Amino acid sequence: MQRYFINQNADSDQRFFITNNEDIHHIKNVMRNHVDNELILNFLDQRVFKCKITAISQDAIEVEPIQELEISTELPQNITICSGLIKADKYEWMLQKATELGASKFIAAEMDRSIVKLNQSKITKKIERWQKIIKEAAEQSYRLTIPSIDYISNLKTLYDNIDGYDYILIAYEDAAKDGEISQFKSVLQQLTQGENILVIFGPEGGLSADEVTLFASVGKQIGLGPRILRAETAPLYVLSAVSYQNELLG
Amino acid sequence: MQRYFINQNADSDQRFFITNNEDIHHIKNVMRNHVDNELILNFLDQRVFKCKITAISQDAIEVEPIQELEISTELPQNITICSGLIKADKYEWMLQKATELGASKFIAAEMDRSIVKLNQSKITKKIERWQKIIKEAAEQSYRLTIPSIDYISNLKTLYDNIDGYDYILIAYEDAAKDGEISQFKSVLQQLTQGENILVIFGPEGGLSADEVTLFASVGKQIGLGPRILRAETAPLYVLSAVSYQNELLG
């Protein structure tokens, strides 16, 4: 059954209105729903209900919650993926896959070696596009929340706002080349429910020495195995490993 | 330094000729190499040498091994990714990423729910294209071998040739939905060096009941965590988890 997100907390005693235009179009024209059809609604408080469509109008789909579903599809930890701007198709592919794999937040950062640069005028449009990709991937993969995405023009901005993170990990190619394999697992093995982890990945050319130095005192450099992973692949390795360690090995 | 593969075993006492046309073009025109420049050569026996270019001609680059490099970038196990044909761009992304993540073999299978079908005339061209993508990803990620790829028009063909595998795992969406989380980890935790693992993934629509039944007696159905992963994402989760369990947790 098709899933949609609504920006309100659940309440089984009231009806809700889906007002997002893309959702309305999808419900009416793509899925060809009519009154009495059912859909799944993810509420802001991460509760999920099977709902019945009670009215369809131009600007809203009215639904009535009929059954709460016990669903738990969020990673035990909140993983923020901060990665350097890379070619658009690669970055968008990473956003989609990392959302499927449970990332809770993205930070698109212009880094020293980013070949791709965004001029201020383009950023708003880009973020809208990225949010759409993330939202669709979140629906498709049964996520309970839609990961957020921010853009920063300099890693210093991030450094000045890292107080909220329990762990800061820097995926540094040289660490991988040096055969560093203990830092990442030791962090994953000590994670507890609800912790916030920031993982920083460079662009195609990798992180600069300055960028690595910037986080040296607050972060751990991690190697992700012996193979050299592309900028858009490394975040997927990290998220898969977090899931394996904490959801399967648990 | 740029890496290339050569289809011969290493021998530090002799010179070798790189005759692959794309490699010759890359060495001469892309990297603009000349005699006395160095490159890295991966030999068939998985030995790796820094080599010096001793001669450049129209149809061959002659190189002399000058220093053996101790490199170990292969997964401890041989993972074969058999997945249903999916949309071309998604399948090619998966091939590239799964090669980076250490897959040793691919089997592109036409499955019951494959929307994409290949007519016999297209298959040879497709396999050539896939091999090129895999080769480039293997060079870029410092692999010691180039994964192979086969096409099969029916899973029965695979079923008739599974004797060489130590484990057969079926990534079945329903297993994930049922919250199955123990099979995959229990297999990964008992793997030993050099074992051969076949992992079967469905196309966009998933495996059919018949296909699951076909392997029921010889394979284990595995869940890959609570989120629903797309056909092209699930293999990356499996390979990352194998690396994490056997290369990092080791």
Side-chain angles (χ1 to χ4, degrees), chain B residues 15-33:
Chain B
R15 293 182 172 186
F16 291 87
F17 295 91
I18 298 170
T19 54
N20 174 298
N21 288 330
E22 278 155 18
D23 291 341
I24 292 171
H25 168 74
H26 194 271
I27 291 166
K28 282 165 64 173
N29 309 326
V30 179
M31 304 302 288
R32 296 220 173 76
N33 279 296

Side-chain angles (χ1 to χ4, degrees), chain B residues 118-134:
Chain B
L118 291 183
N119 57 53
Q120 211 57 36
S121 66
K122 282 198 184 141
I123 288 165
T124 317
K125 270 202 148 50
K126 271 288 186 189
I127 288 181
E128 277 174 18
R129 179 177 166 83
W130 290 337
Q131 281 169 329
K132 188 168 184 293
I133 290 165
I134 292 166

Side-chain angles (χ1 to χ4, degrees), chain A residues 21 25 34 42 62 76 82 96 99 115 131 138 166-167 175 249:
Chain A
N21 288 329
H25 168 73
H34 41 73
N42 287 13
E62 186 193 59
C82 173
Q96 183 189 69
T99 299
I115 296 148
Q131 280 169 331
D166 300 294
Y167 296 94
L249 294 183

Side-chain angles (χ1 to χ4, degrees), chain B residues 97-164:
Chain B
K97 300 307 162 203
T99 299
E100 285 176 57
L101 291 166
S104 66
K105 184 179 175 184
F106 297 97
I107 300 171
E110 188 163 317
M111 296 187 182
D112 294 345
R113 294 186 184 155
S114 291
I115 298 149
V116 180
K117 312 264 175 196
L118 291 183
N119 57 53
Q120 211 57 36
S121 66
K122 282 198 184 141
I123 288 165
T124 317
K125 270 202 148 50
K126 271 288 186 189
I127 288 181
E128 277 174 18
R129 179 177 166 83
W130 290 337
Q131 281 169 329
K132 188 168 184 293
I133 290 165
I134 292 166
K135 175 175 176 287
E136 287 169 359
E139 289 165 353
Q140 185 276 337
S141 56
Y142 294 13
R143 294 286 306 273
L144 300 181
T145 61
I146 303 175
S148 62
I149 182 161
D150 294 335
Y151 165 83
I152 56 173
S153 62
N154 192 310
L155 272 185
K156 291 196 182 60
T157 318
L158 177 61
Y159 181 79
D160 297 337
N161 295 280
I162 52 173
D163 298 348

Side-chain angles (χ1 to χ4, degrees), chain A residues 82 109-111 152 154-159 207 211 214-215:
Chain A
C82 173
E110 189 163 316
M111 296 188 181
I152 57 173
N154 190 310
L155 273 185
K156 290 195 183 60
T157 319
L158 176 62
Y159 181 78
L207 295 160
E211 288 167 335
L214 176 64
F215 290 92

Side-chain angles (χ1 to χ4, degrees), chain B residues 181-205:
Chain B
I181 63 165
S182 61
Q183 291 280 20
F184 184 49
K185 71 176 172 191
S186 72
V187 169
L188 292 203
Q189 287 173 319
Q190 59 189 275
L191 291 178
T192 59
Q193 178 82 22
E195 286 185 308
N196 301 307
I197 298 97
L198 169 66
V199 196
I200 303 174
F201 304 87
E204 286 95 342

Side-chain angles (χ1 to χ4, degrees), chain A residues 54-248:
Chain A
T54 49
I56 296 179
S57 71
Q58 196 70 9
D59 52 8
I61 308 288
E62 186 193 59
V63 301
E64 175 183 34
I66 53 179
Q67 183 199 354
E68 181 156 17
L69 307 173
E70 288 310 321
I71 294 172
S72 166
T73 55
E74 294 300 306
L75 276 178
Q77 288 80 28
N78 307 309
I79 313 293
T80 298
I81 301 292
C82 173
S83 52
L85 287 180
I86 54 178
K87 294 207 186 89
D89 61 329
K90 292 179 163 54
Y91 189 71
E92 293 175 358
W93 181 87
M94 186 280 288
L95 288 178
Q96 183 189 69
K97 300 306 163 207
T99 299
E100 286 176 58
L101 291 166
S104 66
K105 184 179 177 186
F106 296 97
I107 300 170
E110 189 163 316
M111 296 188 181
D112 294 346
R113 294 185 184 155
S114 292
I115 296 148
V116 180
K117 312 265 175 196
L118 289 184
N119 56 54
Q120 211 56 36
S121 67
K122 280 196 184 144
I123 289 165
T124 317
K125 269 202 150 49
K126 271 288 185 189
I127 287 181
E128 276 173 20
R129 180 178 163 82
W130 289 338
Q131 280 169 331
K132 188 168 183 293
I133 290 166
I134 292 166
K135 174 174 176 290
E136 287 170 0
E139 289 165 352
Q140 185 275 339
S141 56
Y142 294 13
R143 294 286 304 274
L144 299 182
T145 60
I146 304 174
S148 62
I149 182 159
D150 293 335
Y151 165 83
I152 57 173
S153 60
N154 190 310
L155 273 185
K156 290 195 183 60
T157 319
L158 176 62
Y159 181 78
D160 297 336
N161 295 278
I162 53 173
D163 299 347
Y165 295 104
D166 300 294
Y167 296 94
I168 294 154
L169 307 178
I170 297 108
Y172 190 34
E173 204 176 273
D174 290 11
K177 285 179 179 162
D178 298 347
E180 195 299 299
I181 62 165
S182 62
Q183 291 280 19
F184 185 49
K185 72 177 172 190
S186 72
V187 169
L188 291 204
Q189 287 173 320
Q190 59 188 277
L191 291 178
T192 60
Q193 179 83 23
E195 286 185 308
N196 301 307
I197 298 95
L198 169 66
V199 196
I200 303 174
F201 303 87
E204 286 95 343
L207 295 160
S208 72
D210 289 352
E211 288 167 335
V212 173
T213 308
L214 176 64
F215 290 92
S217 60
V218 294
K220 290 182 162 67
Q221 291 178 25
I222 56 168
L224 301 174
R227 289 161 299 285
I228 301 303
L229 305 177
R230 292 184 198 225
E232 69 275 16
T233 314
L236 310 186
Y237 182 102
V238 165
L239 290 161
S240 300
V242 169
S243 166
Y244 178 74
Q245 174 70 61
N246 293 288
E247 293 182 321
L248 299 195

